[in-house]
Amino acid sequence: MLIAGNWKMNKTASETVEFCSALRRRIGGIAEEVDVAVFPPFTSLAAAVRLLATTEIAVGAQNVHWATEGAFTGEISAPMLRELGVYAVIVGHSERRQLFGETDETVVRRAAAALEAGLFVIACVGELEEERDCGDTDAVLRRQVSALTEDDRLVVAYEPCWAIGTGRTATPDQAREAHDVIKSLLDVPVLYGGSVTPGTAEELLAQPGVDGALVGGASLDVDSFAAICESAIRIRS
Ligand code: PGA
């Protein structure tokens, strides 16, 4: 079971120091039973790595470029992240797909470069609301997932776009159905993401085929993130 916190474009380096110190005090000890990772923005990665170095809590980045170096202004490569002590990356988040022109092809290239460099990868997939309304959820997931290649260090996050930052979560049945589709194509852990909160985590995490959560908004507050991690522990035990 993995609980991953996607901070998006939130928390400066000094806010990260404060958050990680508090997180370490709050769940530094329990994280051995459930895998926990935080994904700060690039400028806060070094602070997070330093603060969490002596804990079981991993630090990841929110994106990575496919080249190792070169003329790619504004991009960050996998070896750069590795040297910093970063353990994992998110690729293909729906905000990258919708706002920054990310495609299945670029997602696959980013994932491949990160895996090649020894990073763990959380690859995000999920349908738009209109795709669900048209009955296309299954086809969208099949297209996005079949672009990926199975790997021991690959995790898929199912994040229905209409549930991200909206306060609407997939029902347990919707989550289970989507996870089943993904798992029929790739034998990898599958996280659920989209408005996971301390109030909704336990029921979602208890669904068969749900191997953890990718948490956005609720991961920005130590108490709510820790409460979600504690739900995961209760389900595991
Ligand atoms: P949310 O975001 O929990 O704020 O809905 C999830 C995500 O985008 O990973």
Side-chain angles (χ1 to χ4, degrees), residues 42 63-69 72 75-79 81 109-110 113-114:
F42 288 123
N63 195 13
V64 65
H65 196 260
W66 50 83
T68 53
E69 61 184 2
F72 300 103
E75 294 290 324
I76 302 282
S77 76
L81 295 172
R109 292 180 78 186
R110 292 181 202 280

Side-chain angles (χ1 to χ4, degrees), residues 6 8 93 95 159 163-166 193-196 214-218:
N6 172 16
K8 312 192 179 188
H93 190 276
E95 286 149 18
E159 299 206 306
I164 294 178
T166 58
S195 298
V196 175
L214 181 55
V215 186

